[in-house]
Amino acid sequence: MDLKQKLALGLWLMCVGVQAQSIWRTDSLQEVVVTGTGTQHLLKDAPVQTEVITQKMLRNYAGRSIEDILSGLTASFAFSEDDMGSQMQLNGLGNAYILVLVDGKRIHGDVGGQNDLSLIDPQNIEKIEIVKGASSALYGSDAIAGVVNIITKKHNEGLLIENSTRGGSYGDLRQHNGLGIAIGKLRSYTNFQLQHSDGWQNTATEDPRQTEFLIEDSRNKTVNRHTNWQVSERLTYESLKGLEFYADGSTYWKRIYRPSGKYPVDMKFYDLQYRNQSLAGGGKWQLNKTDEVTLDVNFDRHAYYYYYTAEWAMGDGLDQKGNFTTYYPYFRDDEALQSDQRRTMAHLKGIFMLPYNNRLSGGLEWRYDYLKAPMRVEGGKATDHTEAAYVQDEFSYTFNKSVAANVTGGLRLNHNGQFGYRLTPKVSAMLSVGNDFRLRATWSQGFKTPTPKEQHYRYVKYMSGTYLYIGNEDLTPQTSNYYAVSGEYNWQGLNVTVTGYLNNVDNMITLVTIPNTQAPADYIVTYDPKKTRQYQNLESAKTKGVDISLRYRLNRDWMLGGSYSYLDTDAKQYDTTHDRLTDVVIDGTAHHKGSWFATWNHDVTKAYRLGAGLYGRMSSTRYYQIDGNGKGYQTWRFTTNHEFPVGRKWLFRVEAGVDNIFDYVDRTYHGLHLGTTTPGRTVYATLTIRFAQGKKLKFTNNTSNFKSNENETD
């Protein structure tokens, strides 16, 4: 951290100490969470440490995207957004190790190995639950770094019509429309979202180390112009008391427009285009107050295309004379399929209360993955399938009126079509002393099989030069052991949580730069890449660190808080050339990250509520194996919100603010890593109009005389 960052962090911690004696009502501890154990618990009683971004926090922050929300409100996350996705990282491990759920179901939208989080409409989020560390015993593959469960709003009004329109700098447009209808036992909610940005360019200078001469007028953008839209529908029907069925589906389209310049490094012959479809159905049978059975079946498809903006020709290989074996001519407005990923899943789950304060849950899962990529996978396609059975028992015991304990143990048996069987256990324990202190400890194992892309994919990326990325059919599954201890303390308004963790990952899969001589000969002859990168198993990787979270309410109007994350990593790979283990960097890791906020909400009159918030975030240097490191940075954000109820059925809300107040821009040469992609100071404004028939609309803050239609806490 530089001096400016250290001073800002020190000032924030001083503010925490000064205000620690203020009064904070612990309403947020009554939040109901489900992600850590798959069963409902009050947040204060959850045996697995869970971080919650509540509806109130979401409204005050007014984030434009999931990336914006997570990076701004919790220090553990980092993002490096580009055309190929969000490149999310949690406590040192990347997107491939983070399981993203929407209402408990896996999101599907792989873009170059990265989930496209624009599939999620920020205006339709009720809250976000975050569980860090391996959760494979409950959720299976991918949950090695942690789980992010995005819980959407539930609409039960007789008739609901809502519109939200947001505009901001650089042509940023966010549109949300919702229509909810409840007729008897049938409920329907239709959601539409549109997102657009004109993109921006932080620098027109290309990395001089990758070009033959200095280029200072490149057209390459930091973030390209892009547009996406989505329409989704959810139907629920309660046929009998306690028995409910649902069906939902969505369609999604996205296009990334890439400018073309006069230099080879910025010549673009095609845009990127994506089309997703999903279908799901199932039901829930509430046997009694404590026991239930659920069934979910879903199908997801993600298709990725090149959309050609000029004539282009491509060969898929060379013969011994150096001639193309197959020749593909493309013309303007042609589409070329790059990958078609399809996933089918079924999940049967039951939760049952047993004698002696035991709660048993278990289930069966089946998953089938299909990848079609005519030009990127040998043979044109690849498949994989996994079956699993899991069981979990939660045991609670009360020693006396002030001391209680909970022990939760889980075990999953996985079977993968290529790699056979694997057991993954998890044990969590919590000791609570009164309402003030909670001590939690967790040990869990993670397990993740190589994806079809990691095994078989080959593609070429044009940046400041040509980069070749290749799969590896010799990859082996990754395993992990996660250990964490956390303490939570509440006293006269101050809530403090400190968590120390260690995550040992064996056979970690990551991209490693290899000599061109080890790459397929036809690709080397065709593209003559500057660098070739291949998915390989590291010998070992270790992430360890400390997360600190503080939150407290000064009075009815003021709330302060923040979080800090310290991270250290250690990864080793066997160097076959020199016959030794070498240290390698886990891409994107930073030792220090922090976020902090101060919010104020006040009932000016009975018909007008005013809110304001000041937010800051910082990161020290982010480290990478190639293309330089990302600079440390610090940014500040100011938001305001205004609510006006009109009559009993209408609510108007206006949000306006400034992001990156001090206009920080990372001007690092294009082609190298950035600490942050922000274009500098930006402004935004949002107008929301909501009409609800059947329930009286009230203010959305539960501390005022006007309360929300939704069940929520601080």
Side-chain angles (χ1 to χ4, degrees):
M1 285 190 294
D2 61 24
L3 180 61
K4 183 178 179 182
Q5 293 169 343
K6 292 179 179 178
L7 288 174
L9 182 59
L11 178 61
W12 169 64
L13 291 173
M14 288 176 60
C15 292
V16 170
V18 170
Q19 300 296 342
Q21 298 181 18
S22 60
I23 297 175
W24 174 44
R25 298 180 311 151
T26 57
D27 294 346
S28 62
L29 299 180
Q30 305 304 313
E31 187 88 34
V32 176
V33 296
V34 299
T35 308
T37 61
T39 56
Q40 292 188 350
H41 290 273
L42 294 178
L43 178 59
K44 67 183 181 68
D45 296 328
V48 178
Q49 182 65 44
T50 304
E51 184 176 352
V52 178
I53 299 176
T54 66
Q55 172 64 203
K56 182 180 178 182
M57 296 169 66
L58 292 168
R59 285 195 304 270
N60 285 332
Y61 188 74
R64 63 189 289 270
S65 65
I66 299 298
E67 295 91 337
D68 187 16
I69 292 167
L70 290 176
S71 61
L73 293 178
T74 177
S76 301
F77 286 91
F79 294 87
S80 302
E81 298 178 63
D82 60 18
D83 289 349
M84 303 312 294
S86 303
Q87 297 191 39
M88 176 168 55
Q89 190 180 79
L90 172 61
N91 285 349
L93 295 177
N95 182 90
Y97 302 94
I98 306 168
L99 180 60
V100 181
L101 307 174
V102 176
D103 293 328
K105 302 175 183 63
R106 291 169 176 260
I107 188 175
H108 183 68
D110 190 341
V111 184
Q114 305 291 338
N115 280 323
D116 184 359
L117 297 182
S118 59
L119 286 160
I120 303 166
D121 184 356
Q123 292 293 330
N124 197 37
I125 299 175
E126 176 66 27
K127 63 179 178 179
I128 301 173
E129 297 180 6
I130 302 163
V131 175
K132 301 170 186 175
S135 297
S136 295
L138 189 61
Y139 294 105
S141 186
D142 304 335
I144 286 182
V147 179
V148 180
N149 191 8
I150 297 165
I151 299 172
T152 60
K153 296 177 181 178
K154 304 302 181 286
H155 306 282
N156 297 313
E157 297 85 353
L159 174 64
L160 171 68
I161 302 173
E162 53 186 1
N163 175 88
S164 180
T165 303
R166 173 184 175 126
S169 304
Y170 301 96
D172 187 64
L173 174 65
R174 308 275 159 157
Q175 178 66 37
H176 161 82
N177 293 95
L179 173 63
I181 301 173
I183 304 174
K185 297 181 179 180
L186 178 66
R187 294 191 302 275
S188 166
Y189 183 72
T190 306
N191 186 85
F192 170 79
Q193 68 152 328
L194 170 71
Q195 301 178 5
H196 173 82
S197 172
D198 287 341
W200 58 84
Q201 185 183 58
N202 287 5
T203 180
T205 303
E206 294 289 336
D207 175 16
R209 296 175 299 177
Q210 303 293 338
T211 56
E212 296 180 0
F213 53 91
L214 183 63
I215 297 176
E216 296 181 300
D217 57 346
S218 169
R219 293 197 64 195
N220 279 324
K221 288 188 174 184
T222 305
V223 173
N224 282 320
R225 177 174 170 245
H226 56 273
T227 302
N228 63 272
W229 58 262
Q230 183 182 53
V231 178
S232 61
E233 168 67 26
R234 180 176 178 88
L235 293 169
T236 59
Y237 180 71
E238 187 177 356
S239 61
L240 298 171
K241 184 178 180 180
L243 182 60
E244 183 179 83
F245 298 96
Y246 78 91
D248 59 33
S250 68
T251 183
Y252 170 87
W253 176 91
K254 181 175 183 178
R255 184 167 173 185
I256 298 174
Y257 303 87
R258 309 196 304 166
S260 183
K262 60 183 179 180
Y263 303 106
V265 72
D266 62 9
M267 288 182 179
K268 303 293 189 299
F269 299 95
Y270 52 84
D271 294 337
L272 308 179
Q273 189 161 289
Y274 311 93
R275 289 198 289 269
N276 285 27
Q277 294 85 34
S278 67
L279 291 171
K284 178 180 178 180
W285 186 13
Q286 192 72 46
L287 302 173
N288 50 49
K289 292 183 179 180
T290 60
D291 301 348
E292 63 182 50
V293 177
T294 58
L295 174 65
D296 299 287
V297 180
N298 58 280
F299 168 80
D300 299 279
R301 183 193 180 200
H302 171 78
Y304 164 42
Y305 300 86
Y306 286 171
Y307 185 91
Y308 285 89
T309 56
E311 292 188 10
W312 177 253
M314 181 181 295
D316 69 352
L318 299 175
D319 59 23
Q320 294 181 350
K321 297 181 179 180
N323 300 315
F324 286 114
T325 56
T326 306
Y327 191 80
Y328 298 101
Y330 293 104
F331 303 96
R332 185 181 180 89
D333 298 328
D334 280 352
E335 283 186 349
L337 177 67
Q338 303 303 305
S339 69
D340 181 355
Q341 299 177 83
R342 305 180 189 185
R343 185 188 65 200
T344 306
M345 293 189 66
H347 182 198
L348 176 66
K349 177 182 177 180
I351 301 174
F352 308 97
M353 185 62 69
L354 302 179
Y356 307 107
N357 298 317
N358 281 269
R359 179 160 54 175
L360 182 70
S361 57
L364 301 172
E365 288 187 2
W366 172 78
R367 171 174 172 171
Y368 178 77
D369 288 282
Y370 170 84
L371 169 64
K372 178 182 178 182
M375 293 181 290
R376 301 193 177 203
V377 171
E378 187 175 354
K381 67 177 182 179
T383 62
D384 193 19
H385 65 89
T386 300
E387 301 80 36
Y390 66 92
V391 64
Q392 174 184 268
D393 181 63
E394 303 173 58
F395 171 69
S396 300
Y397 183 78
T398 301
F399 295 94
N400 53 51
K401 291 183 178 180
S402 60
V403 180
N406 176 285
V407 177
T408 300
L411 185 66
R412 170 181 286 255
L413 176 63
N414 289 279
H415 174 260
N416 180 265
Q418 298 182 63
F419 300 101
Y421 292 92
R422 175 76 186 190
L423 282 171
T424 52
K426 179 174 183 176
V427 178
S428 298
M430 182 189 71
L431 177 69
S432 60
V433 181
N435 290 319
D436 297 334
F437 182 74
R438 302 286 187 276
L439 178 66
R440 298 178 175 91
T442 295
W443 167 70
S444 57
Q445 287 191 342
F447 176 68
K448 178 175 172 56
T449 58
T451 67
K453 274 196 170 183
E454 291 170 338
Q455 292 176 291
H456 307 290
Y457 219 49
R458 297 180 182 180
Y459 68 98
V460 177
K461 187 173 183 179
Y462 300 98
M463 298 182 292
S464 298
T466 303
Y467 285 56
L468 173 62
Y469 294 79
I470 58 177
N472 184 350
E473 296 184 13
D474 295 326
L475 293 173
T476 59
Q478 304 158 93
T479 59
S480 71
N481 278 279
Y482 176 79
Y483 309 87
V485 176
S486 67
E488 179 182 352
Y489 186 62
N490 297 282
W491 178 73
Q492 294 186 359
L494 175 66
N495 174 267
V496 182
T497 301
V498 180
T499 303
Y501 66 89
L502 170 64
N503 204 349
N504 283 318
V505 184
D506 291 323
N507 297 318
M508 180 179 179
I509 295 175
T510 189
L511 281 167
V512 175
T513 301
I514 64 173
N516 285 349
T517 54
Q518 297 181 15
D522 55 342
Y523 275 71
I524 298 301
V525 173
T526 304
Y527 300 105
D528 187 25
K530 289 182 177 294
K531 284 187 173 66
T532 298
R533 308 203 76 196
Q534 183 183 42
Y535 288 104
Q536 291 188 4
N537 289 106
L538 298 182
E539 294 297 323
S540 64
K542 181 186 298 182
T543 65
K544 54 188 175 182
V546 177
D547 290 340
I548 303 173
S549 174
L550 303 97
R551 194 180 305 169
Y552 41 124
R553 180 179 293 282
L554 305 183
N555 50 44
R556 291 171 61 88
D557 295 337
W558 283 95
M559 172 76 82
L560 302 179
S563 59
Y564 166 76
S565 180
Y566 170 76
L567 170 69
D568 192 16
T569 65
D570 178 21
K572 297 185 182 297
Q573 182 186 28
Y574 185 73
D575 183 349
T576 56
T577 302
H578 300 91
D579 193 27
R580 65 186 181 187
L581 286 175
T582 58
D583 294 326
V584 294
V585 174
I586 299 178
D587 282 344
T589 56
H591 290 307
H592 307 279
K593 296 193 292 293
S595 65
W596 50 92
F597 70 87
T599 60
W600 177 78
N601 291 275
H602 184 69
D603 297 341
V604 180
T605 69
K606 291 183 179 181
Y608 171 48
R609 182 169 183 79
L610 172 63
L614 180 65
Y615 299 84
R617 61 179 175 179
M618 59 77 62
S619 173
S620 60
T621 301
R622 299 185 67 188
Y623 297 97
Y624 294 88
Q625 292 184 40
I626 63 171
D627 296 332
N629 298 321
K631 294 179 180 178
Y633 68 91
Q634 180 185 139
T635 60
W636 293 82
R637 173 190 183 101
F638 179 70
T639 67
T640 66
N641 58 81
H642 317 260
E643 288 190 358
F644 310 88
V646 178
R648 298 172 59 88
K649 301 176 181 178
W650 292 89
L651 178 67
F652 293 82
R653 178 178 173 87
V654 176
E655 299 168 349
V658 181
D659 198 6
N660 197 349
I661 298 172
F662 300 108
D663 198 27
Y664 172 78
V665 182
D666 190 339
R667 303 291 186 186
T668 300
Y669 296 145
H670 186 83
L672 300 178
H673 290 292
L674 303 180
T676 174
T677 59
T678 174
R681 185 184 301 113
T682 60
V683 298
Y684 73 90
T686 305
L687 172 63
T688 299
I689 303 173
R690 194 171 188 267
F691 171 83
Q693 176 77 41
K695 286 189 178 181
K696 182 179 179 180
L697 276 180
K698 302 180 181 181
F699 277 139
T700 52
N701 189 304
N702 69 333
T703 64
S704 70
N705 294 326
F706 294 86
K707 297 183 180 179
S708 169
N709 286 329
E710 295 116 3
N711 294 321
E712 85 149 290
T713 59
D714 290 339

